Amino acid sequence: REHGMRYRLAAGTMSMGKLLVHEGRLDEGMARLRDGLELLLKAGAGLVYSYGQALFAETCLDAGKIDEGLRVTGEALEMIERTDSRLHEAEVHRLRGEMLLRTPGREGEAEVSFRRALEIARAQEAKSWELRAATSLARMLADRGHRAEAREILAPVHGWFTEGRSTADQADAAAMLAKLAG
């Protein structure tokens, strides 16, 4: 605040919110996340704002606040269309898919969101977003009994990575592939 670093203040506020939620202080953490989003918006953050929305949506998912997460991802997608700031578009679609998957009767919409996330990530050559989208889609397909299709989607994306095998996303994808092989 003292040095006028509005983006850093907003990012720090959101990080603190995510940490508080992780520690089980849900209400306080969600309030901090909302405050951070508001600070980003006031600062005219553009690309950073869509990241903030994705972070908030991911926290909503983790906290089981599906309705709020769906609202935030809807707003994020509207802003992406309005501003044409598409850096986090694939991840927003993936998160929306994860929330839709947890909403009874919306599994078809979830699949559409996952496939859209995968399509966008591939078009952007955003391999990390592609891995996340492929893992989410593969998990959903496997749960529906479509194991071969799930493996077909996930294996090539996972195989592309030659480094970073210890990241959470790589570990998640590897665990999914192991489950599909078993």
Side-chain angles (χ1 to χ4, degrees):
R1 283 184 220 278
E2 181 179 326
H3 296 286
M5 300 176 85
R6 299 179 302 169
Y7 298 132
R8 296 281 186 208
L9 177 61
T13 301
M14 292 196 75
S15 294
M16 179 59 81
K18 189 151 178 69
L19 178 65
L20 289 168
V21 169
H22 182 72
E23 290 179 344
R25 296 162 62 185
L26 184 62
D27 293 337
E28 186 180 355
M30 295 301 284
R32 287 275 179 108
L33 280 158
R34 285 184 199 96
D35 290 345
L37 268 179
E38 185 65 29
L39 288 168
L40 283 174
L41 192 58
K42 286 179 182 176
L47 288 175
V48 181
Y49 188 71
S50 65
Y51 172 73
Q53 288 176 303
L55 182 66
F56 186 80
E58 183 177 43
T59 305
C60 287
L61 180 64
D62 293 343
K65 293 188 168 286
I66 303 304
D67 290 339
E68 188 168 10
L70 285 170
R71 181 188 56 74
V72 170
T73 56
E75 289 172 3
L77 291 172
E78 287 173 11
M79 180 165 271
I80 287 167
E81 287 303 315
R82 195 171 50 251
T83 63
D84 204 31
S85 296
R86 301 191 179 277
L87 186 61
H88 302 99
E89 183 178 18
E91 180 65 354
V92 172
H93 278 285
R94 185 193 73 81
L95 288 165
R96 186 165 185 77
E98 290 288 355
M99 285 179 248
L100 288 166
L101 199 56
R102 288 162 179 77
T103 307
R106 298 187 79 180
E107 294 83 5
E109 291 176 74
E111 182 174 354
V112 169
S113 289
F114 291 145
R115 290 188 187 276
R116 181 73 179 129
L118 193 56
E119 175 187 320
I120 291 165
R122 285 179 176 159
Q124 293 177 342
E125 298 181 12
K127 289 297 185 184
S128 291
W129 294 144
E130 184 179 353
L131 181 65
R132 282 183 167 197
T135 303
S136 290
L137 179 58
R139 185 175 295 112
M140 185 203 72
L141 290 170
D143 288 347
R144 288 182 170 175
H146 303 284
R147 297 169 64 85
E149 183 183 0
R151 184 162 177 69
E152 223 174 84
I153 288 168
L154 184 55
V157 181
H158 180 262
W160 183 89
F161 290 87
T162 57
E163 296 178 5
R165 295 282 181 166
S166 62
T167 68
D169 291 339
Q170 280 288 328
D172 192 24
M176 188 68 232
L177 284 170
K179 180 180 173 185
L180 292 169

